[in-house]
Amino acid sequence: MNNRRILASSAAIALALLLQPAPGNAQQAPGGEWFVPGQARPAAPSAPARPAAAPRAAGPGLAPGAMALPGDAGAEPGAAPQLQVQLPPAPEIPPIPKGPATPAAIVGILSVPDVLRVSTAYQAAYKELNARAQKLNEDAQKEQAALRELSQTFANERAKLPPEKIRDKEREITDRVTEAQRKFGERNRIIQEANQYVTAQVNRTMEQAAQQVALSRGINLVLNRSQILGTTADFDLTPAVADVLNKALPSVVVPPDGVSPLSMAPPATAPAAPPAATAAAAKPAQKK
């Protein structure tokens, strides 16, 4: 009886984990919360760095100059086990000569979600990927129902089956659950990768559009509106950036259904036009 319950619940739980919401609704800022127009930006780190623990006042078991690392009494719950070390003497930082003053900030505000909301390329790709995710959910639900029915039939017939048949049926159901997890997990992974591929295309052009709009207005600092408590329309670059984005990127490349962008051939690039001097030299000399 316990084995029967475990098989039935395993089939339901394993596939229920695959019924994820549609993955295409992530709206990310184009690489960060701010940038300086006209300058290259460093690549964003894969994960935010955790700040180092601040030195604490000396207490029982903690000598002056020591630092309490994650896990000591003042660390947040769930941190690493307690570890206290005595740091070497701190280096002395000499005074820094006075340098050129930082230019006055001329600020522009950009709402990334609003740009994506009116982006024809992003919305068309989102609609396609959302349909694929919905189809994945429907197929997973059908497989879940089929496994539930198979498990129920096996439970009803179990008492009439010999031990070897019971083991074969249990193996069959377990193998089918494993295959379903693999198949639906693979499909979900491909949809997620397609979503990242599409988002990268939109973010790249959106950032270029924001750079150009900012430079055209003499702005040297663009902030994400989600980080601003309040502003006026005079600072808002969103409509102009959305207009440039739609003109420059009316559509994006969406991988075919079931195809990961990682397995796609790199997009072909148009050959560079020859320099004017080379083109002129390539023309045959005209007879006089």
Side-chain angles (χ1 to χ4, degrees), residues 64-255:
M67 176 175 289
L69 298 184
D72 94 284
E76 59 188 52
Q82 179 175 353
L83 178 64
Q84 297 178 354
V85 295
Q86 180 70 35
L87 297 180
E92 182 178 354
I93 300 179
I96 300 176
K98 186 175 181 180
T102 302
I106 305 176
V107 179
I109 308 298
L110 177 65
S111 173
V112 173
D114 287 345
V115 173
L116 297 180
R117 194 172 295 114
V118 298
S119 167
T120 56
Y122 180 83
Q123 291 301 322
Y126 171 79
K127 183 178 180 180
E128 169 63 24
L129 295 178
N130 194 52
R132 296 180 188 179
Q134 183 62 33
K135 181 64 166 57
L136 170 63
N137 291 341
E138 293 172 357
D139 292 345
Q141 288 175 355
K142 292 177 182 178
E143 181 67 11
Q144 184 182 27
L147 276 169
R148 190 182 296 113
E149 182 178 354
L150 181 63
S151 299
Q152 184 60 46
T153 302
F154 172 53
N156 296 336
E157 299 175 350
R158 184 185 184 94
K160 305 175 185 179
L161 298 175
E164 62 273 12
K165 291 291 185 181
I166 292 177
R167 288 192 295 269
D168 291 343
K169 200 66 176 178
E170 289 176 343
R171 188 179 303 108
E172 176 188 346
I173 295 177
T174 302
D175 290 346
R176 182 163 174 177
V177 170
T178 302
E179 175 61 18
Q181 288 179 314
R182 185 202 64 78
K183 179 176 66 175
F184 290 111
E186 178 75 4
R187 287 176 60 183
N188 183 66
R189 178 186 64 80
I190 291 175
I191 293 175
Q192 296 290 346
E193 291 173 352
N195 177 61
Q196 295 174 13
Y197 185 68
V198 164
T199 304
Q201 295 175 67
V202 176
N203 282 349
R204 176 184 60 185
T205 306
M206 188 197 318
E207 182 173 336
Q208 293 173 351
Q211 293 269 7
Q212 293 302 320
V213 171
L215 289 173
S216 70
R217 301 187 181 187
I219 291 172
N220 57 20
L221 183 63
V222 177
L223 302 177
N224 193 322
R225 194 164 70 186
S226 64
Q227 305 298 316
I228 306 300
L229 294 178
T231 184
T232 64
D234 297 334
F235 293 90
D236 194 3
L237 308 181
T238 303
V241 172
D243 182 62
V244 174
L245 175 64
N246 281 333
K247 291 177 180 177
L249 190 71
S251 63
V252 293
V253 176
V254 181

